[in-house]
Amino acid sequence: MEKLILIAPYGLKGAEGVFFNWLAQSKFFITLALAFHNRLFLRWGLRHFAYYNPDRVDRYIETYLAETLFEQGGKKALAPICRQVLGKEPVDDLLPEIHHPALLIWGTEDRVLDYRWSRQFLTLLSHAELATIPLCGHEPMAERPAETAAAIRWFIEL
């Protein structure tokens, strides 16, 4: 049986908020942010937005993200995603068409995509379960890998 796992998913109308909506409209600021990237900026973003507990930012994850995002291929991929996806074509109308079992994994302290959006996803996905990761931010797979893996194992074995 096919199953879908979504970790802190994006795409609902209104979920982008004012900041992401503004960012999506600004090719200049996206290009500027990617041009002046550095490890310090990445560390700051992880500690202030992606993670709930900044002490859990792992240097290996930070290195992986820096190498992935800041290499030329990463920049080429990230800029179009920011410009073309954020704030455009919400998935609200598509989700009710998904009839496969789905698992949503969401950190309760997500500062990027607020945990409250999980309820809307549950409403729109007819066969969805929610795995809540307490005291966790936007990256449960990195910040709380054991809990995330346990939720995935549970779902796969259903």
Side-chain angles (χ1 to χ4, degrees), residues 13-57:
K13 184 176 172 108
E16 68 274 357
V18 174
F19 175 73
F20 281 126
N21 199 17
W22 170 79
L23 185 62
Q25 305 305 316
S26 176
K27 181 178 180 179
F28 171 76
F29 284 110
I30 291 169
T31 304
L32 185 66
L34 291 172
F36 290 103
H37 67 273
N38 63 42
R39 191 84 175 240
L40 185 62
F41 179 74
L42 175 65
R43 184 176 299 123
W44 179 84
L46 289 172
R47 293 180 175 274
H48 289 87
F49 293 103
Y51 280 61
Y52 169 69
N53 181 351
D55 295 332
R56 293 189 72 105
V57 175

Side-chain angles (χ1 to χ4, degrees), residues 86-138:
L86 292 177
K88 298 188 172 105
E89 298 186 32
V91 298
D92 302 60
D93 294 337
L94 300 174
L95 294 177
E97 302 300 319
I98 297 172
H99 300 290
H100 296 293
L103 174 65
L104 299 171
I105 300 175
W106 220 301
T108 59
E109 308 303 322
D110 190 332
R111 294 181 203 125
V112 176
L113 295 169
D114 196 291
Y115 174 72
R116 68 185 170 95
W117 290 102
S118 64
R119 296 290 165 216
Q120 185 68 14
F121 271 95
L122 287 173
T123 299
L124 294 171
L125 287 166
S126 60
H127 302 292
E129 300 280 343
L130 175 64
T132 299
I133 310 293
L135 302 176
C136 182
H138 185 63

